[in-house]
Amino acid sequence: MDLNLRENIGIKDAITYNVIKATSDVAISEIAEMMTQNNISSVVIEDEKGKGIVTTNNIISKVVSKNISPKDITADMVMEDYVSISPNTSLAEASTTMIKNKCKVVLVIEDEQLKGLLTLTDIVRVSPELIELFMEGQDIDDKYYEHRNYDDDEAIDEGVCENCGAYDTLRKYDGQYVCSECIDEELDE
């Protein structure tokens, strides 16, 4: 594929430097709340027990889809090893690394220190032509949504339910973003 890319476009303008971190003993409900408050899709886990990353996909596939309460699961139970790149990596190389590792976020590490993180969204924001690489080389999580039916006008937001604190798909109901269980309970009363 010929995208007419300059191979030397670096990642420094695309990196998120203010990385949100937590320790491995933090409950997934708290991780989900951090994600919602900061409008992010991943939290880096770092402590003496280990290092990793928790993403919204981890939470959906390992907690929500199994109907496990996010209050009962800690970050170390769902975190995955992270993929890393150096700050001198080009955008094209970072994109290729994401595709090869089937991930949407990589950590930027230099001298064993976390310098920031880079997401698919960051790359496309800085260099939109790279989206073609991802469209050809990566399955973009259609598996989760393909079996679900939603009305066109129905707002679908993932986050922490304002009523019960569960991480789930949310709907606006009576001025709050709540999960379907809380809506059902409210309608039953």
Side-chain angles (χ1 to χ4, degrees):
M1 162 191 340
D2 181 25
L3 293 176
N4 298 322
L5 294 176
R6 294 177 312 195
E7 284 294 317
N8 60 353
I9 299 175
I11 62 171
K12 292 186 180 181
D13 290 331
I15 296 173
T16 299
Y17 290 96
N18 184 22
V19 178
I20 306 298
K21 299 181 198 174
T23 57
S24 60
D25 60 347
V26 174
I28 289 301
S29 58
E30 291 179 51
I31 298 283
E33 189 172 323
M34 289 174 167
M35 289 176 173
T36 302
Q37 288 174 348
N38 292 285
N39 195 27
I40 57 175
S41 61
S42 58
V43 173
V44 174
I45 307 302
E46 219 173 40
D47 60 20
E48 65 281 346
K49 290 182 183 177
K51 294 181 180 182
I53 191 165
V54 174
T55 66
T56 53
N57 288 344
N58 297 128
I59 294 171
I60 291 168
S61 66
K62 296 180 180 180
V63 181
V64 175
S65 69
K66 296 182 179 1
N67 205 23
I68 300 171
S69 171
K71 295 176 183 175
D72 298 334
I73 302 291
T74 55
D76 61 333
M77 300 167 94
V78 300
M79 74 178 186
E80 293 182 350
D81 293 337
Y82 58 82
V83 176
S84 66
I85 57 175
S86 81
N88 300 320
T89 305
S90 73
L91 281 174
E93 291 171 323
S95 300
T96 301
T97 299
M98 287 179 172
I99 291 167
K100 286 181 181 174
N101 290 283
K102 296 181 180 172
C103 65
K104 295 180 189 176
V105 60
V106 292
L107 300 189
V108 181
I109 300 195
E110 183 175 48
D111 299 326
E112 298 184 28
Q113 294 292 320
L114 177 64
K115 297 297 181 183
L117 61 81
L118 183 69
T119 67
L120 168 61
T121 303
D122 296 331
I123 290 172
V124 172
R125 179 177 41 82
V126 172
S127 189
E129 67 274 9
L130 287 173
I131 193 66
E132 290 181 39
L133 281 176
F134 289 97
M135 296 308 288
E136 286 187 7
Q138 185 180 34
D139 176 19
I140 310 217
D141 290 334
D142 289 334
K143 294 175 195 166
Y144 177 72
Y145 295 103
E146 68 187 359
H147 301 318
R148 303 180 65 118
N149 293 321
Y150 296 110
D151 294 335
D152 290 338
D153 61 346
E154 183 179 357
I156 301 169
D157 292 310
E158 295 172 2
V160 178
C161 175
E162 292 180 29
N163 189 38
C164 70
Y167 186 89
D168 203 344
T169 301
L170 303 178
R171 293 189 183 102
K172 193 164 189 173
Y173 180 80
D174 201 22
Q176 290 186 309
Y177 285 96
V178 294
C179 65
S180 58
E181 284 186 36
C182 289
I183 291 172
D184 291 344
E185 287 176 12
E186 185 70 26
L187 294 174
D188 289 342
E189 291 179 358

